[in-house]
Each structure stands twice: as C-alpha cells, then as structure tokens.
Amino acid sequence: MSEHPAVRALQDLVRQPTVAERDPARTDPAPFVALRAALAEHFPRLHELERVEIEPHAVLVRWPGRTDAGPVVLMAHLDVVPVEGSWTHPAFGAEIHDGMVWGRGTLDDKGAVVGICAAVEQLLERGFVPARDVWLSFGSTEEVSGSTATDAVDELRRRGVRPWLVLDEGGAVAADAFPLVRAPLAVVGVTEKGVTSVELVAEGAGGHASTPARGGPTARLAAAITALERAPLPLRAPAPTLELLRRLAPHLPAPLRPVLGRADRLAPVLTRVLRAAGAEAAAMVRTTVAVTTLSGSPALNVIASTARAGVNMRVMVGDTVDGVLDHVRRTVGPGIRVEVVERNEPSPVSPWDDGAFALLERITGELFPDAVPTPYVMMAATDARFFTGLCDRVYRFTPFRMTKDQRATIHAADERIGVADLLAGVDWYRRLVEELPA
Ligand SMILES: [Zn+2]
C-alpha cells in the first residue's frame, strides 16, 4: 500500500541519524547532508523558495506573502538526541507498525519539520500566496544548545524582519495531561522556564581509605544534596498556569468546577494540589532542582579530595536566576562551592488575549474539536526563547496528538507518531497559513 507523501518524507528524514554533538567538529555531517537532500526531493516547490543557509546545516526559507504585514516564523529542528535504551523497532528504521511511524525524531522534531514542509508544499502546488511573509527556520543544533537559532535571529534582524508570530515546538494535543480531565489539552507554551546549571564542589584532604576522617568532601557533598532535596523552592502560580486551571474547570467533575473557576483567588490551594499531583504537575508550580551528574574518587580504596555534583534547575516565571542561586548557596552552606555553569532566565510571557493566539486556538478547535486549547508554562527549553528578543508573540506548540506514553518516549526509547496524527498536523499547519490575516 502506498503511504501518504508526508509519511514517506518523515520516514526518509528519520532514517538519517542527525545527531548533533556539543563540539561541532565532532558532528558527522553526512546524515545532515542526506537529510537536506531528502527535504529537497520530497518538497521540490518549497526548495525553490529563497533560502538562507545557516551553518552548519540549518536553513531559513522565505515564502513571500501578499502584504508586508509582520511575518510569521514557523520553526522546527533537524537534529535529534542520541539513541539509548532498548527499542521495540529500530530507532532509525522508521518502520510502520500499528499505525505508527517508529523512530528517533518522529515527535522531536522531524514530525514538525514534515508537518510544516508538507503544508507549504501543498499550498504552493495550489498556487496559494500567504497573506504575509512566512519564514521557515529549521535549526540543526537545538539539542546541544548550539548557535543556529541565534544565527537565524541575527539574520532576520539584519533584514529588518519583525515577526508578528513565531511558532516553535513545545506543547501538544496531550491526552491524560491533567488528573480527572478526560479531554485532551492542546497546551500552547507562552513562556518557558529558564535552564540554569551549577556544580557543587566539596574539597578537602583525600587519602587512603583505611584511615578516613569525618566530614570529608564526599560526606559534605552528600549532606548538601540531601539539604537541597529537603528545601524545595517556594510554590508559584504564574498567570499562564492560572489561566490553564480556569480553562480546565468546565472539564472537571462537577464538585471541583467552582474551585478552578476561581483559580486566581484560590491559587495557594491549587498550587498545593498540583504539587501533590505527580512530578509533571508539580513542575508547573515551582522552580525545580535536579541533581544530575556525580563524581568523587575514581578508586574503591581512595578517599576523594574533590567531590562534585551537577545540579540542573528550571527557573519558574516569577523567580530569577540570582534568587535561585541565593537559595542554593544558603541551603548547601559554606563548606560547598557553587560554580555556575549556565544561567538562563525564564522567557518573557507571550499574550493569550490577542489575535495571534486566537488564531492558534481557532485552528486547533477545527482540527482537534475534542481538545481544550490553553496557554501554559513550558518546562523544557526550546530554540523559541532566542526569538523572544525579536517578537512579542512566541508560541510553543506541536499540533500532534500524543498519549502520555508517547510523551515519555521523547528523548527516550520507542519514540513514535501516529500516521493519522502526522497527517492531522499537516492539515493544522496548512490551515494556519491559509488563515493568516492580511
Ligand atoms: Zn525538540
């Protein structure tokens, strides 16, 4: 049976293992070159549009519109994270089983690349001209915090492009996103938490494991980690989270509706409920702190003279990096050095009460009538944050239905997208472009 052209395109893209490395010199260029060739082959009309190459393998495409009203930028990324874990079907095989395309990148983020390109290709085929310029910005270093998104922003700035709307990956049409709510939530990220990382360093006398002293570096580091775990940052209910609760209210069991309907007045109660509702919900109401890397002695019979722990923090809207760092320093105490590795503030909050968001809502209602569209605070970092300096309306939404299981496969094993869901996503992007106001 011959599959839809968009499905074949996704399969060809997924078969290229476009894994970017933090050190660009170590990235294998061959899969990226092949992926770009596959894009040209599957989307020949799009390929004829004006293109700006962004090193190493990213691309910026301009599709001229009828008017010079502020353009729209549709973003996605071509790189993927490495494969780990054991997969039911080969990670770069792009095999179809049970109505799903399986493989690394199907959800993050080659599905969106294909969704956008297939939509544009269909419209070009019909001779359609968008109401305003549409730019496509496909980065190649998103997963390694590389420079392609900032370079794309610089290029647009040089050209004096002031977008009206920027749309990147982010929320999805998420089933089982909220306890007790049966309708899927079409969550549109209107801001994202800031990613900030530190290393906790404890130093002291090392030596032979046969003559240990009390309070050595490893023990102090362990105490510091435990202290951090026991001192979470204060709960916060930023405006997008309260709006999400308000929009959920009618979809909750009757006794709970009035509570969420008055979400803003009941913020303190609700944030406590969210905190108790599991890790996903808890991350919506505070800055999170996760200890990730750990190192100490390399040998079983040697006491470490230096012990280190990496701490990755996601800074909530309403908190600041300085405030969070103060909290960390106070909590771990004077015996631990706190080295800042990276610091990013939460992104500015884009509006959900104007025409751009209303357009996203309307198209979402057309394609996913059972879903509840709502703004939210995105937990993960995206390239979209670099566009907030260029545009006030930066939204993070990938128009694909995803089950809870599927969401858990992003950056993990068995990533897969439903064939029908991919095609609905193509339709969503196409409707968005068709409906752009002049
Ligand atoms: Zn991604």
Side-chain angles (χ1 to χ4, degrees):
M1 141 185 141
S2 81
E3 287 289 353
H4 190 282
V7 177
R8 288 203 306 274
L10 178 62
Q11 287 178 295
D12 277 355
L13 299 198
V14 170
R15 287 179 185 133
Q16 299 304 330
T18 49
V19 177
E21 301 280 344
R22 274 184 196 267
D23 172 5
R26 293 187 51 209
T27 299
D28 179 4
F32 284 93
V33 172
L35 179 136
R36 292 285 308 274
L39 282 175
E41 183 196 319
H42 284 281
F43 307 110
R45 291 172 186 83
L46 190 160
H47 192 66
E48 280 166 22
L49 296 173
E50 180 187 350
R51 250 175 317 139
V52 186
E53 301 293 329
I54 308 279
E55 292 297 319
H57 306 289
V59 65
L60 197 54
V61 175
R62 177 177 172 238
W63 182 14
R66 290 199 306 273
T67 69
D68 57 7
V72 168
V73 182
L74 302 178
M75 297 173 62
H77 61 90
L78 307 174
D79 58 315
V80 294
V81 291
V83 167
E84 50 187 322
S86 73
W87 287 61
T88 309
H89 304 290
F92 296 114
E95 294 176 7
I96 297 178
H97 299 276
D98 309 320
M100 315 273 253
V101 184
W102 293 65
R104 171 60 81 231
T106 45
L107 296 174
D108 182 17
D109 186 35
K110 290 174 178 176
V113 173
V114 169
I116 294 168
C117 290
V120 171
E121 188 73 15
Q122 288 176 9
L123 290 168
L124 285 167
E125 207 173 319
R126 274 186 5 211
F128 180 85
V129 180
R132 40 180 87 211
D133 280 12
V134 175
W135 288 83
L136 312 184
S137 179
F138 299 151
S140 62
T141 56
E142 197 272 342
E143 300 290 3
V144 292
S145 306
S147 59
T148 53
T150 45
D151 291 348
V153 168
D154 290 346
E155 175 68 25
L156 292 173
R157 196 172 271 135
R158 250 196 307 281
R159 291 167 174 249
V161 175
R162 295 288 299 172
W164 171 66
L165 166 68
V166 173
L167 180 74
D168 195 7
E169 64 174 339
V173 184
D176 304 315
F178 199 88
L180 304 177
V181 175
R182 306 229 349 235
L185 299 188
V187 285
V188 179
V190 291
T191 178
E192 59 193 72
K193 288 171 130 181
V195 183
T196 294
S197 301
V198 297
E199 279 210 305
L200 306 180
V201 186
E203 282 168 333
H208 200 280
S210 61
T211 55
R214 287 180 64 83
T218 309
R220 275 187 283 124
L221 184 70
I225 292 170
T226 310
L228 267 185
E229 173 111 1
R230 286 186 184 151
L233 279 120
L235 295 171
R236 295 225 180 271
T241 303
L242 293 176
E243 178 69 11
L244 177 143
L245 295 173
R246 255 193 303 272
R247 291 184 184 216
L248 281 186
H251 303 273
L252 277 168
L256 289 171
R257 277 175 216 160
V259 181
L260 286 202
R262 289 176 292 144
D264 33 7
R265 262 175 292 160
L266 292 168
V269 181
L270 290 168
T271 47
R272 264 175 274 141
V273 170
L274 281 175
R275 184 196 51 191
E280 220 180 9
M284 290 170 56
V285 287
R286 67 159 44 119
T287 294
T288 56
V289 176
V291 176
T292 51
T293 59
L294 266 182
S295 65
S297 165
L300 265 176
N301 59 352
V302 173
I303 293 172
S305 56
T306 306
R308 312 177 77 97
V311 183
N312 187 260
M313 293 167 293
R314 305 299 169 108
V315 183
M316 183 49 127
V317 178
D319 283 343
T320 63
V321 172
D322 280 340
V324 171
L325 291 177
D326 277 352
H327 169 86
V328 171
R329 288 195 189 97
R330 263 197 325 270
T331 306
V332 300
I336 303 282
R337 196 165 72 243
V338 178
E339 294 178 358
V340 178
V341 179
E342 58 176 338
R343 48 176 306 149
N344 293 290
E345 300 289 348
S347 297
V349 181
S350 297
W352 56 85
D353 59 352
D354 79 346
F357 193 90
L359 175 61
L360 301 182
E361 262 187 288
R362 182 158 62 80
I363 304 299
T364 301
E366 256 181 49
L367 271 296
F368 309 103
D370 55 329
V372 183
T374 175
Y376 87 123
V377 177
M378 202 170 147
M379 306 298 141
T382 70
D383 272 347
R385 69 187 185 278
F386 302 116
F387 283 73
T388 54
L390 199 63
C391 177
D392 297 331
R393 294 181 202 84
V394 176
Y395 300 105
R396 300 142 182 98
F397 178 66
T398 320
F400 301 131
R401 286 184 192 272
M402 295 185 201
T403 63
K404 200 167 188 149
D405 277 354
Q406 277 176 292
R407 296 201 295 283
T409 66
I410 293 174
H411 290 209
D414 282 349
E415 189 178 346
R416 59 197 186 274
I417 188 171
V419 167
D421 300 329
L422 175 72
L423 300 182
V426 174
D427 291 343
W428 188 93
Y429 283 114
R430 195 190 61 244
R431 291 292 296 136
L432 175 67
V433 173
E434 284 174 335
E435 293 295 305
L436 289 176

